Amino acid sequence: MKKQEQSRCTQKTISLLSPLGTIQVSGCENGVHTIQILMDVAPAERSSEAPLSCVVTDSPAETSPEMQRCVEWLQAYFTQPQTAGSLPLPAFHHPALQGDAFTSRVLQVLLRDVKFGETVSYKRLAEMAGNPRAVRAVGGAMRRNPVPLLIPCHRVISSSGQSGPYMSGRGDHLKQWLLTHERQRGEG
């Protein structure tokens, strides 16, 4: 039934140009469905001098309040990251974030308990979600996170302190950038 409910949504997509490249936010009047980081900028083109901005490059004529809230949050995250934590998050409208499945529980715990500039190990997050033996399942939950950045899966690292994979290993450089961005901006 949830899948039918979601398929009845009229989804719209907003594109933003960020220091990570293009970010596409898809959602409906009920909330944000997905955030995709397109990785359309080669890693060599990113540097510490990259402009810290996040501008809308493509948007439908009308957007829902939830989509607008998401855009505002993303813009704050990149330009004034210390303020992002005080902004309201948009509603989420994706099946992975509904109900009490382990993936949903892990993502909700991560969102609620791991703050800007902090990191948590896969093992510790499994413990926080109520199943200390589910370390690999936590990794699976991170891979299935439909709204990266808003639910900060980039803050989950290995117990050894290594950053671990991001976007199935294709976005490891983005994870490093995000962690550095939060560390540097959190100090200021």
Side-chain angles (χ1 to χ4, degrees), residues 169-180:
R170 297 180 331 271
D172 294 356
H173 58 289
L174 300 180
K175 185 173 188 172
Q176 282 304 133
W177 191 97
L178 291 165
L179 292 172
T180 300

Side-chain angles (χ1 to χ4, degrees), residues 106-157:
V106 167
L107 294 173
Q108 295 299 336
V109 167
L110 175 61
L111 175 62
R112 183 186 68 227
D113 296 341
V114 182
K115 303 300 180 208
F116 185 88
E118 298 176 352
T119 57
V120 65
S121 71
Y122 292 91
K123 180 180 181 183
R124 177 70 186 120
L125 187 54
E127 293 167 355
M128 292 164 63
N131 191 344
R133 300 180 65 191
V135 176
R136 289 175 59 109
V138 166
M142 297 306 101
R143 282 189 299 279
R144 288 187 292 282
N145 179 5
V147 287
L149 301 175
L150 293 180
I151 297 181
C153 53
H154 61 276
R155 296 182 189 152
V156 183
I157 62 173

Side-chain angles (χ1 to χ4, degrees), residues 38-59:
L38 299 186
M39 296 194 304
D40 55 351
V41 177
E45 294 179 47
R46 285 189 194 90
S47 70
S48 57
E49 289 81 41
L52 295 182
S53 65
C54 186
V55 296
V56 174
T57 58
D58 186 30
S59 177

